[in-house]
């Protein structure tokens, strides 16, 4: 599976952004999908994951309510709607597809659970 993230940019605190992730080369609907982010000087951290059909969603603590993950299995697209952005949301955002292990869980927080990664898109939030 090849992933291509887009939609990042420079915004002000309180603004919104919608990140997109286009998938190709595999069966998108078979994969639990996730979003991660990495701020300068910090480790990559989990943001959100979504089940294969899109009906179940999981968020890192503190992000639910501001961030909304969704997917379109017809268009092979993954999205992350980010509202009320804060300067601490500044990071490179990555989309990822799980290793298609066949497990039922959609709550996948660990980097090791994902086999395919997009190249990242920069989000910068100014105060």
């Amino acid at each position: 599976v090849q992933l291509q993230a887009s939609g990042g940019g420079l915004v002000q605190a309180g603004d919104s952004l919608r990140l997109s992730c286009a998938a190709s080369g595999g069966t998108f609907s078979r994969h639990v999908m996730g979003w991660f982010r990495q701020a300068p000087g910090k480790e990559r951290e989990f943001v959100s994951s979504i089940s294969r059909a899109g009906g179940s969603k999981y968020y890192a603590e503190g992000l639910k309510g501001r961030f909304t993950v969704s997917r379109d299995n017809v268009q092979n697209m993954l999205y992350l709607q980010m509202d009320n952005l804060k300067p601490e949301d500044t990071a490179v955002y990555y989309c990822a597809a799980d290793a298609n292990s066949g497990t039922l869980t959609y709550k996948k927080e660990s980097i090791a659970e994902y086999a395919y990664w997009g190249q990242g898109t920069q989000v910068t939030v100014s105060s």
Side-chain angles (χ1 to χ4, degrees):
V1 178
Q2 290 80 49
L3 302 173
Q4 179 79 30
S6 61
L10 173 62
V11 298
Q12 293 185 334
D15 285 351
S16 297
L17 271 179
R18 187 194 197 202
L19 304 184
S20 300
C21 176
S24 62
T27 306
F28 180 68
S29 61
R30 290 182 180 175
H31 294 273
V32 170
M33 298 296 296
W35 285 101
F36 288 75
R37 67 185 182 183
Q38 188 166 17
K42 295 186 177 181
E43 294 186 352
R44 193 171 300 190
E45 64 177 6
F46 170 76
V47 172
S48 179
S49 61
I50 186 169
S51 62
R52 294 174 178 85
S56 298
K57 304 172 184 183
Y58 181 56
Y59 298 93
E61 187 174 351
L63 295 183
K64 188 176 183 179
R66 293 199 300 122
F67 288 16
T68 304
V69 63
S70 62
R71 66 190 295 166
D72 182 337
N73 284 349
V74 175
Q75 299 294 327
N76 291 346
M77 294 292 296
L78 175 72
Y79 303 101
L80 185 68
Q81 176 69 39
M82 305 185 294
D83 298 319
N84 190 22
L85 282 161
K86 302 177 181 181
E88 51 263 43
D89 295 319
T90 295
V92 177
Y93 284 72
Y94 298 89
C95 56
D98 78 343
N100 194 16
S101 63
T103 60
L104 296 178
T105 182
Y106 61 93
K107 296 182 178 180
K108 297 191 172 187
E109 297 184 16
S110 171
I111 292 173
E113 296 180 282
Y114 293 85
Y116 309 96
W117 292 84
Q119 86 290 358
T121 184
Q122 175 71 46
V123 173
T124 303
V125 185
S126 64
S127 58

